[in-house]
Amino acid sequence: MKPSPMQQPFRTAVLILVWGWLLFLVLAPNLLVVGASVMSRDPARFLSLPLNLDAYRQLLDPLYLEVFLHSLYMAVMTTLACLLVGYPFAWALSRVGKQRQVLLVFLLIVPFWTNSLVRTYALKLILATNGLLNNALLALGWIDEPMKLLYTEGAVIIGLVYLLLPFMILPLYSVFDDLREELLMASHDLGAGRWATFAHVIVPLTLPGVLAGVMLVLLPAMGLFFVPDILGGSRNLLVGNVIKNQFLDARNWPFGAAASILLTLAMAFLLFAHKLSKRRLGEEGGA
Amino acid sequence: MTRWLSRAYLASVYLLLYLPIVVLVVFSFNDSRTGYAWGGLSLRWYQSLFNNHAMVQAMWNSLWLALSAATVSTLIGALTALALHRYRFRGKKVLNGMLFVVMMSPEIVLAISLLALFLLVGIQLGYVSLLLAHVTFCLPFVVITVMARLSGFDERLPEAARDLGASDFTMTRTVLIPVIMPALMAGWLLGFTLSLDDVVVSTFVSGPSYEILPLRIYSMVRVGLKPEVNAVGTLLLVFSLVMLMLSQWILTRSKR
Amino acid sequence: MNKTLLSLHHLSKEFDGKTVLDSLDLEIYDGEFITLLGPSGCGKTTLLRLMAGFEQPDAGTITLSGVDLTHTPPERRPLNTVFQHYALFPHMSVFDNVAYGLKMEKRPKDEIRQRVREALAMVQLEDYANRRPHQLSGGQQQRVAIARAVVKRPKVLLLDEPLSALDYKLRRTMQVELKRLQRELGITFVFVTHDQEEALSMSDRVVVLKDGRIQQLGTPREVYERPANLFTARFVGETNFFPGTVTAVGENELRVDVLGLARTLRKPTFAVAEGQRLHVLLRPEDIRVLDPADADGLPGKIVERNYKGSTLDSVIHLADGTEVLASEFFDEDDPAFDYRLGEPVKVSWVDGWEWLLPEEVDPTPAEDRTVEA
């Protein structure tokens, strides 16, 4: 016996509210962006007909292509740096005593709860020409004159790494935490040395964590527009800065929308790769 | 040896993660105007902060927005989690997928899509648009927190309540809500903090009629170094930290 | 015949100041099935890990056919392990799991394919080569783990409680299977378990361990029928203990007073003197439950009867409060067999079926018996 909707007013009300919210504030806006990307620019009313692919063509404009490639380059460098620092970090963290691990993981979550804008600004105090780092190095006599650290590509990458490192470490930590010591022992038992075990067992088994971490770092590293605003100056822009400028200043919505779809596609690709790597490990039930 | 090395490595990464925060907090008590050199202990930046009328107004606006966004997203998030947990309905996977996409997609993508919607529908950019946007990006986090709590709980309890004569609504009120209470509180605190700290989405969907704190800070830090930012940043950090500790305390206490 | 293959000499191991193995000596023969049996924490798993090379002993040596292996890393020892939870690589197919060890030896591809196929055939999993571990049942995963270890043709196969995760029926099947494999391969098996029934039914020899020391080393029959001490007697199977006092010592027998009952018993191997107190041990199946009118036996009454199919198990309370466990083969034609609860009976045994142990300072009270099923 299946009760009719009228017999379950509560259930019906809940479902209508939830679906309504998500359809209106998630699905509709995203469809709007897709729609906007194929319309024409109109400074007065934001958008107008006819439909065309001009916005996507504009993405390939050498001027913007250069910005995008530079943004991609900085995002990739950020992701690599996070991976390089985070991988051994997560490994070491997962091998610490259980009690201490709880505290250390808590310390990793703190940045997630604190204002990233404020923390980016705090970096500025350290990196500025007459900031703490230069002053310390001068005092130590390691350098003779202050280095220009702020408003460089390096500063943007440092800022992004600083903000996003915990997002790389947490998924890595989770896969290392699940990595059973017994599997490593089995590998040695069957004749594999340290390197062979690392290559054939540890790397494949932590790959989903690496991909999750890459996804959580690479995408924001292209979108966090306030980091170059604060640390990078005008020459080190992210895709996020382009989107923001197009929407808020240049009023070129189709182009901004197309750039944002680019980011969404990148996300879809990474999600797919992540799912694939997990399925290989049989965590999706294998069916 | 390896053990010692790995400890040292962990410690140094933590040091680098926390150094800027420490610097910020210390400098918020710095009397010097230039902001780089130490000029003695002082509370003058906190003082100037609270004498700044626009700043105080932005703080109140932010607090009110975070409060309402957290409350609304907790309500809707809890209902969503309950529906996902208990009911079988068509499109359940789609619903789950949408929440997942909201959580994973870059904030800026969400921001422009909402901006487009608000302008098209004619919602004025201000408190209402901010609230709708903030609730939307907080929602998946609340749902996940509540779902985690629900998944660890005895399926037979609701059945027992129904068996004893409670209606669906009464059962939800008397059995489910008390069970998920800790998750609701934790979800609320997380939503509150996320809303209070958001810059990216707010940049797009706020209007001149309703200035909020993160955006005010943003406009200040773009130009140069402002000692007041150290002070307001410290306040925000401390506030978030208290929220986080409260939430962890609620969750660990409820596990016992 | 009994050629020593693996020799453990004076092995000691401490963890955080706690002695896990205490100067242990053990010779393992070529081709035998030897079981390390003991309660959790007795050191049996540590011993196995020392043999595999996952732990280093604090003192002592391990030699294989005279070659010192003590400090050889696990990957260079000709021993392989079947892990408790199988430890199959989840990202590899069954074939790749089994081939892993051979790839590490850098064998030619054809040989690997051939040997993996043989190993899978041996455990009856030829058709599962392309599956992933998570698509297999527990028993099948177990077989893959065994195939993966034996495909390397190790000198010794180490098995760390390999059956503990399986349900009772599957365990029985795998016990027979393992026994068959060991016979066919002729490899030495070192098997770790806390299940005494498993140990008795599978092994050529059983090593009973407690607190890092060997309590007894012998054939299953020796360990069961002639336990070396109270611990072994309690840990291996159910046992009734009766207190006895020696009243006279003869050439080949003893006169012993057991709770007021005078019996003539076989003289034990340890020295006895008149007036000495000792334990008279009787397995439940050696206890006879007699009519209360019978002249011989200790009076008591039935407090519990459990029909077990082929046997009928009874608990009898003696007058002094001692509990006696009796397990009799079921015979429905025997009228004397039909005791009811609360009915008075007498308990006795055939002289010579008992086993005597001297009194010892007993560190484990009877309630603490850890017989994990």
Side-chain angles (χ1 to χ4, degrees):
Chain A
M1 185 194 74
K2 203 178 160 199
S4 78
M6 287 314 286
Q7 285 169 304
Q8 285 185 300
F10 178 62
R11 175 197 147 121
T12 314
V14 168
L15 287 181
I16 286 175
L17 176 70
V18 170
W19 272 116
W21 191 280
L22 288 177
L23 289 180
F24 181 62
L25 285 153
V26 177
L27 193 62
N30 278 301
L31 291 177
L32 257 177
V33 171
V34 176
S37 73
V38 293
M39 290 176 82
S40 301
R41 180 183 179 191
D42 184 333
R45 290 176 300 147
F46 305 115
L47 295 167
S48 69
L49 293 170
L51 300 183
N52 56 51
L53 291 175
D54 283 355
Y56 291 95
R57 241 166 260 140
Q58 206 182 340
L59 288 178
L60 298 174
D61 184 309
L63 182 72
Y64 287 111
L65 203 60
E66 199 184 322
V67 174
F68 289 148
L69 287 179
H70 189 205
S71 169
L72 186 66
Y73 166 77
M74 288 192 290
V76 169
M77 292 312 281
T78 302
T79 311
L80 279 180
C82 284
L83 192 59
L84 237 56
V85 176
Y87 199 82
F89 184 91
W91 195 346
L93 180 61
S94 72
R95 297 299 179 259
V96 171
K98 270 282 163 254
Q99 203 117 50
R100 209 171 303 181
Q101 240 175 72
V102 174
L103 176 74
L104 291 179
V105 171
F106 175 82
L107 285 177
L108 271 181
I109 302 174
V110 169
F112 182 70
W113 283 65
T114 50
N115 196 309
S116 41
L117 184 65
V118 168
R119 286 187 298 124
T120 310
Y121 170 77
L123 265 187
K124 201 172 186 171
L125 291 174
I126 294 174
L127 295 179
T129 311
N130 44 355
L132 281 185
L133 186 60
N134 269 322
N135 284 347
L137 292 179
L138 281 172
L140 286 170
W142 290 8
I143 52 174
D144 295 328
E145 55 189 68
M147 298 181 291
K148 182 178 162 55
L149 298 167
L150 213 53
Y151 309 122
T152 60
E153 186 184 278
V156 175
I157 294 175
I158 288 174
L160 290 171
V161 170
Y162 174 57
L163 290 186
L164 298 171
L165 184 60
F167 293 87
M168 176 64 86
I169 292 174
L170 285 172
L172 283 174
Y173 165 70
S174 146
V175 286
F176 271 114
D177 201 38
D178 286 347
L179 183 66
R180 282 156 44 215
E181 201 72 43
E182 219 183 31
L183 289 179
L184 308 188
M185 290 189 339
S187 174
H188 286 298
D189 189 69
L190 294 167
R194 276 166 180 245
W195 280 107
T197 301
F198 181 72
H200 295 296
V201 179
I202 298 179
V203 168
L205 284 177
T206 52
L207 199 60
V210 171
L211 284 171
V214 166
M215 185 157 53
L216 290 174
V217 171
L218 190 67
L219 289 173
M222 292 195 275
L224 286 174
F225 55 78
F226 58 82
V227 176
D229 270 359
I230 297 172
L231 300 173
S234 56
R235 257 179 299 153
N236 299 298
L237 297 179
L238 304 183
V239 179
N241 295 78
V242 175
I243 298 176
K244 178 173 155 257
N245 293 341
Q246 294 304 318
F247 264 84
L248 297 184
D249 306 328
R251 298 271 166 163
N252 187 347
W253 279 30
F255 183 55
S260 132
I261 284 170
L262 204 67
L263 278 186
T264 311
L265 287 179
M267 175 186 75
F269 172 76
L270 288 172
L271 276 176
F272 180 71
H274 180 242
K275 210 178 156 97
L276 216 64
S277 77
K278 273 195 117 156
R279 180 166 298 167
R280 271 179 51 116
L281 295 188
E283 285 173 26
E284 309 268 291
Chain B
M1 184 61 196
T2 350
R3 204 179 145 101
W4 187 85
L5 220 92
S6 89
R7 291 266 166 94
Y9 181 65
L10 285 175
S12 52
V13 172
Y14 275 113
L15 189 73
L16 287 176
L17 275 180
Y18 277 86
L19 182 71
I21 297 179
V22 173
V23 168
L24 178 90
V25 173
V26 170
F27 270 66
S28 76
F29 298 105
N30 185 5
D31 193 47
S32 159
R33 169 160 289 279
T34 57
Y36 296 121
W38 185 251
L41 211 61
S42 152
L43 286 175
R44 63 186 277 201
W45 304 117
Y46 290 91
Q47 212 169 3
S48 90
L49 204 62
F50 288 105
N51 288 332
N52 182 337
H53 177 74
M55 184 66 106
V56 173
Q57 184 59 45
M59 275 186 207
W60 282 120
N61 284 348
S62 264
L63 274 181
W64 176 241
L65 175 65
L67 211 70
S68 40
T71 308
V72 176
S73 61
T74 303
L75 275 175
I76 299 178
L79 290 175
T80 310
L82 284 174
L84 283 173
H85 182 73
R86 304 201 28 232
Y87 300 140
R88 248 187 269 175
F89 52 88
R90 227 178 284 174
K92 193 168 177 171
K93 276 199 164 164
V94 180
L95 194 96
N96 248 324
M98 271 160 88
L99 287 168
F100 183 67
V101 167
V102 173
M103 200 167 60
M104 292 308 299
S105 56
E107 285 168 284
I108 191 156
V109 173
L110 182 76
I112 60 156
S113 71
L114 286 169
L115 173 67
L117 177 82
F118 294 149
L119 291 180
L120 187 86
V121 179
I123 295 174
Q124 233 217 314
L125 295 182
Y127 173 70
V128 176
S129 64
L130 279 168
L131 178 65
L132 289 174
H134 281 209
V135 170
T136 304
F137 72 68
C138 291
L139 205 56
F141 293 95
V142 177
V143 174
I144 282 187
T145 317
V146 177
M147 285 287 268
R149 177 84 181 159
L150 280 173
S151 71
F153 126 101
D154 189 349
E155 282 307 324
R156 278 157 303 187
L157 282 185
E159 286 169 14
R162 294 299 291 273
D163 185 62
L164 294 169
S167 71
D168 197 27
F169 175 74
T170 314
M171 184 280 292
T172 302
R173 190 172 52 83
T174 54
V175 178
L176 285 183
I177 303 281
V179 165
I180 60 173
M181 207 54 192
L184 290 185
M185 290 196 269
W188 189 91
L189 289 167
L190 182 58
F192 187 93
T193 328
L194 286 174
S195 164
L196 196 66
D197 289 345
D198 174 72
V199 183
V200 175
V201 175
S202 304
T203 303
F204 285 83
V205 299
S206 76
S209 64
Y210 202 81
E211 196 187 22
I212 55 172
L213 190 61
L215 293 186
R216 191 164 175 84
I217 297 177
Y218 185 33
S219 61
M220 286 166 78
V221 296
R222 286 167 86 172
V223 237
L225 287 166
K226 292 264 168 53
E228 287 101 335
V229 175
N230 299 341
V232 71
T234 301
L235 288 180
L236 265 177
L237 286 174
V238 170
F239 203 82
S240 301
L241 213 58
V242 170
M243 290 286 182
L244 171 58
M245 294 206 297
L246 211 59
S247 134
Q248 292 287 315
W249 180 70
I250 288 169
L251 284 179
T252 42
R253 200 189 47 155
S254 70
K255 268 189 200 131
R256 270 182 237 142
Chain C
M1 167 69 201
N2 285 345
K3 202 177 106 226
T4 297
L5 180 65
L6 192 65
S7 159
L8 315 179
H9 186 65
H10 283 331
L11 280 187
S12 292
K13 181 77 184 169
E14 277 187 15
F15 285 120
D16 303 322
K18 192 180 165 283
T19 304
V20 181
L21 290 178
D22 190 4
S23 191
L24 186 139
D25 289 301
L26 182 61
E27 305 273 294
I28 293 170
Y29 304 141
D30 196 5
E32 75 170 330
F33 193 124
I34 190 167
T35 298
L36 309 179
L37 173 70
S40 43
C42 71
K44 57 189 193 297
T45 295
T46 305
L47 192 55
L48 198 76
R49 289 164 64 98
L50 285 173
M51 294 185 215
F54 302 132
E55 305 280 357
Q56 296 283 310
D58 298 334
T61 56
I62 301 171
T63 53
L64 182 81
S65 317
V67 181
D68 190 344
L69 277 185
T70 317
H71 299 291
T72 309
E75 56 264 35
R76 271 186 261 138
R77 294 188 187 202
L79 295 81
N80 288 106
T81 309
V82 175
F83 291 87
Q84 189 171 8
H85 302 289
Y86 322 139
L88 297 180
F89 302 122
H91 57 298
M92 297 180 194
S93 66
V94 166
F95 182 93
D96 288 336
N97 262 285
V98 179
Y100 189 84
L102 298 177
K103 280 181 189 155
M104 291 304 138
E105 290 177 13
K106 303 215 166 23
R107 298 273 169 192
K109 278 217 163 65
D110 287 343
E111 186 194 337
I112 294 180
R113 210 170 305 132
Q114 179 64 25
R115 280 171 67 176
V116 170
R117 208 171 296 142
E118 282 168 16
L120 286 176
M122 203 170 52
V123 293
Q124 285 130 34
L125 285 176
E126 306 98 307
D127 301 334
Y128 293 82
N130 295 320
R131 304 264 186 115
R132 300 227 167 232
H134 67 92
Q135 294 171 313
L136 303 181
S137 71
Q140 289 168 333
Q141 292 185 24
Q142 173 70 78
R143 289 159 195 262
V144 177
I146 294 167
R148 185 177 70 172
V150 298
V151 78
K152 298 220 5 157
R153 298 178 186 151
K155 295 268 175 25
V156 181
L157 188 68
L158 308 170
L159 301 105
D160 184 10
E161 308 213 21
L163 307 181
S164 63
L166 303 177
D167 65 45
Y168 182 79
K169 236 179 133 176
L170 202 51
R171 223 151 89 192
R172 286 268 158 236
T173 322
M174 283 310 296
Q175 284 173 11
V176 176
E177 190 86 340
L178 274 175
K179 211 44 213 168
R180 174 184 69 83
L181 269 175
Q182 197 254 343
R183 261 198 316 272
E184 282 176 12
L185 293 166
I187 297 176
T188 306
F189 274 35
V190 181
F191 188 91
V192 160
T193 184
H194 59 247
D195 181 344
Q196 39 97 9
E197 221 179 301
E198 203 167 274
L200 295 183
S201 67
M202 298 176 75
S203 323
D204 296 325
R205 288 195 302 161
V206 176
V207 183
V208 182
L209 278 167
K210 187 191 146 218
D211 299 334
R213 287 165 181 273
I214 294 180
Q215 304 293 311
Q216 188 165 7
L217 170 61
T219 64
R221 195 163 171 172
E222 281 166 356
V223 170
Y224 187 74
E225 293 183 355
R226 279 169 276 150
N229 55 31
L230 287 179
F231 172 78
T232 307
R234 279 181 179 141
F235 190 74
V236 182
E238 297 279 358
T239 309
N240 295 300
F241 294 82
F242 295 100
T245 310
V246 179
T247 52
V249 183
E251 183 97 11
N252 287 314
E253 70 274 306
L254 293 177
R255 292 290 292 169
V256 178
D257 175 281
V258 182
L259 298 170
L261 196 70
R263 302 299 290 255
T264 307
L265 307 178
R266 211 167 24 170
K267 198 171 166 185
T269 46
F270 57 88
V272 279
E274 225 177 274
Q276 184 186 339
R277 299 174 57 82
L278 38 71
H279 294 281
V280 179
L281 275 61
L282 281 152
R283 297 293 184 184
E285 59 271 23
D286 293 335
I287 295 278
R288 293 277 156 273
V289 184
L290 305 172
D291 194 82
D294 218 287
D296 199 30
L298 301 162
K301 67 179 191 234
I302 305 257
V303 295
E304 232 182 280
R305 303 217 89 182
N306 289 314
Y307 176 64
K308 287 272 181 68
S310 56
T311 62
L312 188 62
D313 293 356
S314 318
V315 179
I316 297 138
H317 263 183
L318 297 189
D320 71 333
T322 314
E323 255 185 21
V324 178
L325 228 62
S327 178
E328 298 161 284
F329 278 97
F330 196 69
D331 180 2
E332 48 189 314
D333 297 331
D334 188 356
F337 210 75
D338 199 20
Y339 302 108
R340 278 190 312 274
L341 283 187
E343 211 172 314
V345 289
K346 274 194 171 163
V347 168
S348 184
W349 68 91
V350 177
D351 282 343
W353 290 8
E354 78 291 325
W355 180 249
L356 299 179
L357 283 177
E359 268 215 325
E360 56 186 272
V361 186
D362 184 6
T364 35
E367 300 88 74
D368 279 5
R369 280 189 265 174
T370 36
V371 187
E372 300 154 50

